[in-house]
Amino acid sequence: MIKNVMIKKILKSTVFKGITLINKIYPKKDNIILLYMGNKGLGFNLEPLYDYLVREGFNEKYNIICSVESDYYFGCNEKNVLFVNHIGAIKWYLKAKHVFYTAGQLPIKPSKKQIVIHMNHGITDYKTMGALTKINNGDELFFTYMIAPSEIYIPIFSKEYLCPENCIKVCSEPMVDRIIYPLTQKDYSAYNKVLLWVPTFRQSDYLGYNDSSQEDLIPLFNEEKYKILNDHLAIHNCLLIVKIHPSQTLGKYKQENYSHLKIYSNENFINEGMNLYDLMAQADGLIGDYSSASLQFLLTNKPVAYVIPDFEEYQQKRGFVFNNVKDYMPGHLIYTEEDFWKFLEDFSKGIDNYKKQRLSVRDIIHKYDDGKSCERILELSMIYR
């Protein structure tokens, strides 16, 4: 993935403009599906979409091309499935009638014979994306459709990705299908409750963001305080699983495994055979902040808390898509350690004062809770068995 914004703009206006002209006349094949991810491996919304395609046997009829960065490139034994790097993706893009993006995209304009669907890395979000951020990547419209979780996001996405509102289609997203219908489950029977913490990234060397001066991997708790946090969790026999955002700069990270506190980088999380959305379905509650996970978790109707000690700074540096963003945070708002201990006490005792507010926000953010996002998206792309 190219990080430099100026280089991106130059390539968009030169090399990829030429590829766009070629793409307009290049013949498309209905039996080719391209799944493209701009960074890391096959993740975010592409992973559950890929799983669904293979599980339901679409690879009997279609050739599925998966494009990931070279470091994550590997062979595959599934029928009619091919993994390629980003250079190879351009060739397949020219041939494919069906293209799906997440976490990045090829800056090639779709031809009229293609259906290109942008799914982002998580479509339910508090923070600004695309053209509304302070990182101006220029033209953002390189898709036929972009999916949304509900109508409230249609004007937001239109501004973020500089596209007409009729390009935004409400389908929900593949990731949340795994919350409704999880495929795996871990044994946490030794604990009274399981709490999942998914802090968003504040600094990302990889993506070029510096949204907050808060540098601890776990906001409010530096490494010296991990034992104190573990001791509080042990009192309630509560397991806290912290999953660091894949784009977060890790710095001095090391995998921590206390009796009641487990801290995972994205790589270690995957190596342990864990899936974030399966874990959401199993967890008794979630701690989030400004990321899409906090809004996705509302589908479980379980307690959510928001650790936001850097709220004012984050609002100034990154910004939010809602003017009254705290109205969309139906749970404990945590600014200090004392706030955190209060939430943990309520959570361990089953005190839930935000259920009605959660349901209200859930119904605004999510139109669907049926676990059929993949079906709707494939239908939008005219992919049939």
Side-chain angles (χ1 to χ4, degrees), residues 299-368:
L299 289 168
T300 70
N301 194 27
K302 298 174 185 175
V304 186
Y306 302 84
V307 176
I308 52 174
D310 55 351
F311 180 85
E312 299 297 335
E313 181 184 15
Y314 198 95
Q315 185 175 40
Q316 182 179 9
K317 285 188 173 182
R318 183 64 181 264
F320 300 111
V321 298
F322 303 120
N323 292 329
N324 51 338
V325 64
K326 291 181 184 179
D327 290 347
Y328 295 87
M329 295 180 171
H332 286 72
L333 301 183
I334 299 174
Y335 301 95
T336 65
E337 284 186 45
E338 289 71 22
D339 294 337
F340 186 91
W341 304 135
K342 170 59 177 170
F343 161 70
L344 184 60
E345 184 78 15
D346 286 352
F347 175 74
S348 64
K349 292 180 178 178
I351 299 173
D352 182 3
N353 296 320
Y354 297 93
K355 186 173 183 179
K356 184 176 180 180
Q357 186 183 355
R358 277 201 314 273
L359 290 172
S360 177
V361 176
R362 182 200 67 182
D363 291 344
I364 294 171
I365 299 297
H366 298 280
K367 181 174 182 176
Y368 299 105

Side-chain angles (χ1 to χ4, degrees), residues 161-330:
Y161 292 93
L162 308 176
C163 66
E165 290 192 0
N166 61 10
C167 288
I168 313 298
K169 303 299 181 183
V170 177
C171 296
S172 191
E173 59 184 328
M175 287 190 292
V176 301
D177 288 0
R178 290 287 289 267
I179 300 178
I180 308 301
Y181 297 114
L183 300 179
T184 63
Q185 189 169 17
K186 298 289 185 179
D187 181 9
Y188 298 122
S189 58
Y191 304 95
N192 291 339
K193 290 194 174 184
V194 177
L195 186 57
L196 176 62
W197 192 343
V198 283
T200 194
F201 68 86
R202 265 70 173 183
Q203 299 84 27
S204 177
D205 294 338
Y206 194 86
L207 297 178
Y209 282 97
N210 182 15
D211 297 329
S212 168
S213 59
Q214 199 295 122
E215 295 184 347
D216 295 323
L217 290 180
I218 309 178
L220 299 180
F221 298 98
N222 58 33
E223 190 174 351
E224 287 71 30
K225 293 181 179 180
Y226 289 170
K227 186 179 183 304
I228 297 172
L229 176 57
N230 183 74
D231 290 345
H232 276 80
L233 292 163
I235 292 171
H236 304 289
N237 194 24
C238 176
L239 173 65
L240 175 58
I241 300 172
V242 182
K243 195 269 185 186
I244 305 301
H245 194 284
S247 297
Q248 172 65 39
T249 299
L250 293 178
K252 298 180 180 179
Y253 164 82
K254 60 181 179 179
Q255 186 169 357
E256 299 285 358
N257 287 288
Y258 294 86
S259 63
H260 291 73
L261 172 64
K262 313 293 182 184
I263 305 174
Y264 297 97
S265 68
N266 185 63
E267 183 177 358
N268 287 334
F269 190 81
I270 293 171
N271 290 340
E272 291 283 337
M274 302 172 78
N275 178 278
L276 178 60
Y277 297 91
D278 288 354
L279 188 54
M280 281 189 186
Q282 189 173 359
D284 299 293
L286 180 132
I287 302 173
D289 42 39
Y290 320 118
S291 75
S292 58
S294 304
L295 288 166
Q296 291 166 335
F297 192 76
L298 294 177
L299 289 168
T300 70
N301 194 27
K302 298 174 185 175
V304 186
Y306 302 84
V307 176
I308 52 174
D310 55 351
F311 180 85
E312 299 297 335
E313 181 184 15
Y314 198 95
Q315 185 175 40
Q316 182 179 9
K317 285 188 173 182
R318 183 64 181 264
F320 300 111
V321 298
F322 303 120
N323 292 329
N324 51 338
V325 64
K326 291 181 184 179
D327 290 347
Y328 295 87
M329 295 180 171

Side-chain angles (χ1 to χ4, degrees), residues 15-58:
V15 175
F16 283 99
K17 269 198 172 181
I19 297 174
T20 290
L21 293 175
I22 296 171
N23 189 53
K24 286 183 178 180
I25 61 174
Y26 206 97
K28 310 305 175 193
K29 294 184 178 180
D30 182 59
N31 68 335
I32 296 178
I33 300 171
L34 174 63
L35 308 180
Y36 179 93
M37 182 151 169
N39 57 69
K40 309 294 182 181
L42 192 69
F44 299 122
N45 275 310
L46 282 191
E47 181 185 3
L49 182 61
Y50 168 81
D51 289 344
Y52 181 83
L53 285 167
V54 173
R55 188 171 66 249
E56 297 297 322
F58 284 90

